[in-house]
């Protein structure tokens, strides 16, 4: 492997894993190791991706494997391994199957890549990232979950479509667990700094909030499996913030130790991501209604985490 390039291991070479590898190549974020338990899948996907590099103008290397040896010394590990949702399933229904998978992966990461920045994507997200942190023993700045960036992006996309203004000018903050009771924080959502209600009626805003909360399920209903392009794009935004020390403010599942009145759990909150990983948690001045919505979302996360016996 070439010296000087970062090493990014993608655990799970399914729909999201394969898209992550392509985005890593397009952005030349680093050399990629794709790992999956299914023989042939990571190897086949990496061959396909390697062949696109001359057209993409990308000089990274991509390797596809079925064991973890090649991941040794990773700078970034992104975990999407596990089962995705099928119609009729909630994210929480995946907990039993995916916790065993996550535990095994965390043991490998701890052993082979003790300095890695780890991003967990597997659902139910807030519980799976908790398993990764507990089993790896990594500090809280190096284990984070992807959810809020995607939920926020969905909200921004819906607002943009509704008002006909660039997605780039719409900022949003969707907090809480990555479930249907996630909390779009409307006071902190703006169009180029102008409050949302200047552009949209309360009725329209409410409809967008509802659609954002159910957006994952809307895709599952249509495709019979969960989304992969927007989740992968969201993860890459986080990985890039880390690798390029961008100090971006992003809504992510972060380990809280007293912030927002929560201690010892992961929950979606605004954090700063830079070279130090999760460099800090940004505490928004929430009003009583917002605090209560966040606590309702947290109660659900707590129940799922309680069902994870480690
Ligand atoms: N180690 C490595 N890979 C594994 C393991 C394991 N122990 N167990 C399962 N996998 C692989 C599967 O073989 C599959 O290729 O994980 C991959 C998951 O890919 P998909 O089924 O295509 O799922 P995807 O859409 O990528 O979603 C992955 O992210 O958003 C969440 O809910 C989603 O939990 C799901 C995860």
């Amino acid at each position: 492997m070439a010296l000087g390039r970062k090493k990014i291991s993608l655990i799970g070479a399914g729909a999201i894993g394969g898209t992550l590898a392509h985005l890593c190549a397009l952005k030349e974020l680093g050399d990629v190791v794709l790992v999956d338990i299914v023989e042939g899948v990571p190897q086949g996907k990496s061959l396909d991706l390697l062949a696109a590099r001359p057209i993409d103008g990308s000089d990274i290397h991509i390797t596809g494997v079925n064991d973890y040896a090649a991941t040794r010394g990773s700078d970034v590990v992104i975990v999407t391994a596990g089962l995705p949702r099928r119609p009729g399933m909630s994210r929480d229904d995946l907990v039993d199957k995916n916790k065993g998978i996550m535990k095994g992966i965390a043991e490998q990461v701890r052993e082979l890549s003790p300095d890695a920045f780890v991003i967990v994507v597997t659902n139910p997200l807030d519980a799976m990232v908790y398993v990764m942190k507990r089993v790896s023993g990594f500090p809280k700045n190096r284990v984070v979950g992807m959810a809020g960036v995607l939920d926020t992006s969905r909200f921004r996309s819906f607002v943009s479509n509704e008002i006909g203004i660039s997605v780039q000018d719409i900022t949003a903050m969707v907090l809480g667990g990555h479930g249907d009771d996630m909390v779009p924080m409307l006071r902190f959502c703006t169009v180029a700094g102008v409050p949302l209600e200047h552009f949209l009626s309360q009725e329209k805003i409410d409809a967008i909030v509802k659609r954002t909360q159910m957006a994952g399920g809307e895709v599952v209903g249509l495709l019979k499996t969960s989304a992969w392009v927007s989740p992968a794009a969201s993860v890459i935004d986080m990985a890039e913030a880390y690798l390029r020390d961008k100090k971006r403010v992003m809504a992510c599942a972060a380990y809280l130790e007293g912030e927002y009145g929560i201690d010892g759990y992961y929950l979606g909150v605004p954090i700063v991501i830079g070279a130090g990983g999760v460099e800090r948690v940004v505490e928004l001045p929430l009003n009583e209604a917002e605090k209560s919505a966040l606590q309702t979302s947290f109660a659900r996360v707590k129940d799922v985490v309680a069902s994870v016996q480690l």
Side-chain angles (χ1 to χ4, degrees), residues 11-17 35-38 41 45 68 79-86 91 94 98 101 105 121-124 146 178 225-228 231:
I11 317 301
I16 301 178
V35 185
D36 203 285
I37 42 166
V38 181
V41 166
K45 287 201 177 183
Y68 285 86
V79 186
T80 64
L83 304 182
R85 281 202 280 174
R86 301 288 175 210
R91 295 178 180 91
L94 301 168
N98 287 350
I101 293 173
I105 293 167
V121 184
T122 306
N123 276 313
M146 187 292 292
H178 187 45
T225 190
S226 50
W228 61 89

Side-chain angles (χ1 to χ4, degrees), residues 177 181 183 289-302:
D181 50 11
V183 195
E290 291 160 348
K291 278 184 195 159
S292 144
L294 195 63
Q295 284 301 328
T296 303
S297 181
F298 172 56
R300 177 90 150 261
V301 169
K302 217 170 156 183

